[in-house]
């Protein structure tokens, strides 16, 4: 009988501890990128991240900040200097763009597209 009481107290206590679980603020969930089995296209999927709404190209344009991220020049400016295909996650264009502390920020899914493009070999496609 006594053991049973202790057992019950332990169960109640563990329920009590469980009720104190803390909900951490989770980072934005990035849906896996389904590109229909196709590789990411630099010209239609990556370059527009920088130029849409002049997000990056407001500063990163010819005669202004380097690298020039306008559609015509972005590839030549980024590859190979700002990408690291051996260690995609350490690529400058990826770390700076997703840092959230640079002048403009991109979404988690845009960052995932850039990372996938680098992982696939940073092709001019
Ligand atoms: C308000 C102007 C401005 C905007 C907007 C801007 N940048 Fe920059 N960027 C700079 C300046 C200034 C530098 C050089 C000094 C520095 O690194 O802060 C720079 C440097 C960089 C570098 C080179 C870092 C290095 O260490 O070689 C990359 C890559 C870069 N920016 C990417 C981006 C991307 C991607 C965007 C858009 C999401 C963006 N920038 C938006 C001003 C800007």
């Amino acid at each position: 009988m006594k053991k049973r009481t202790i057992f019950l107290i332990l169960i109640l206590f563990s329920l009590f501890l469980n009720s104190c679980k803390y909900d951490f603020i989770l980072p934005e969930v990035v849906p896996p990128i389904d590109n229909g089995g196709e590789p990411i296209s630099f010209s239609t999927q990556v370059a527009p991240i920088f130029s849409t709404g002049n997000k990056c190209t407001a500063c990163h344009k010819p005669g202004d900040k380097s690298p020039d991220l306008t559609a015509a020049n972005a590839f030549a400016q980024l590859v190979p200097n700002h990408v690291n295909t051996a260690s995609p996650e350490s690529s400058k264009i990826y770390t700076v763009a997703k840092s959230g502390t640079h002048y403009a920020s991109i979404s988690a899914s845009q960052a995932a597209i850039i990372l996938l493009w680098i992982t696939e070999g940073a092709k001019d496609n």
Side-chain angles (χ1 to χ4, degrees), residues 3-4 53-54 69-71 75 100 122-123:
K3 269 191 183 159
R4 211 173 140 172
N54 240 356
L69 294 175
T70 55
F75 183 80
K123 297 203 181 71

Side-chain angles (χ1 to χ4, degrees), residues 65-100:
K65 304 292 176 259
S66 169
D68 176 353
L69 294 175
T70 55
N73 305 319
F75 183 80
Q77 293 270 313
L78 291 177
V79 181
N81 288 343
H82 292 88
V83 301
N84 181 349
T85 48
S87 172
E89 292 196 24
S90 57
S91 301
K92 204 89 221 191
I93 187 61
Y94 175 68
T95 56
V96 172
K98 75 157 216 165
S99 68

Side-chain angles (χ1 to χ4, degrees), residues 49-51 54-60 64-67 69 78 81-82 91-98 101-106 110 114:
I49 294 173
F50 310 131
S51 56
N54 240 356
K55 182 178 274 184
C56 310
T57 48
C59 303
H60 293 276
D64 207 335
K65 304 292 176 259
S66 169
L69 294 175
L78 291 177
N81 288 343
H82 292 88
S91 301
K92 204 89 221 191
I93 187 61
Y94 175 68
T95 56
V96 172
K98 75 157 216 165
T101 55
H102 196 61
Y103 304 87
S105 54
I106 60 173
Q110 289 174 322
I114 294 173

Side-chain angles (χ1 to χ4, degrees), residues 2-125:
K2 201 164 177 226
K3 269 191 183 159
R4 211 173 140 172
T5 312
I6 293 172
F7 188 58
L8 274 175
I9 288 172
L10 278 177
I11 286 185
L12 284 174
F13 190 61
S14 69
L15 284 176
F16 169 75
L17 283 182
N18 263 337
S19 71
C20 295
K21 112 178 145 59
Y22 185 81
D23 280 324
F24 289 93
I25 296 166
L26 298 170
E28 184 183 347
V29 176
V30 184
I33 296 166
D34 176 8
N35 213 35
E38 294 293 314
I40 296 291
S41 159
F42 181 77
S43 60
T44 65
Q45 293 177 277
V46 178
I49 294 173
F50 310 131
S51 56
T52 302
N54 240 356
K55 182 178 274 184
C56 310
T57 48
C59 303
H60 293 276
K61 57 180 189 277
D64 207 335
K65 304 292 176 259
S66 169
D68 176 353
L69 294 175
T70 55
N73 305 319
F75 183 80
Q77 293 270 313
L78 291 177
V79 181
N81 288 343
H82 292 88
V83 301
N84 181 349
T85 48
S87 172
E89 292 196 24
S90 57
S91 301
K92 204 89 221 191
I93 187 61
Y94 175 68
T95 56
V96 172
K98 75 157 216 165
S99 68
T101 55
H102 196 61
Y103 304 87
S105 54
I106 60 173
S107 71
S109 50
Q110 289 174 322
I113 286 174
I114 294 173
L115 184 63
L116 187 52
W117 166 70
I118 299 168
T119 307
E120 289 172 348
K123 297 203 181 71
D124 188 5
N125 55 359

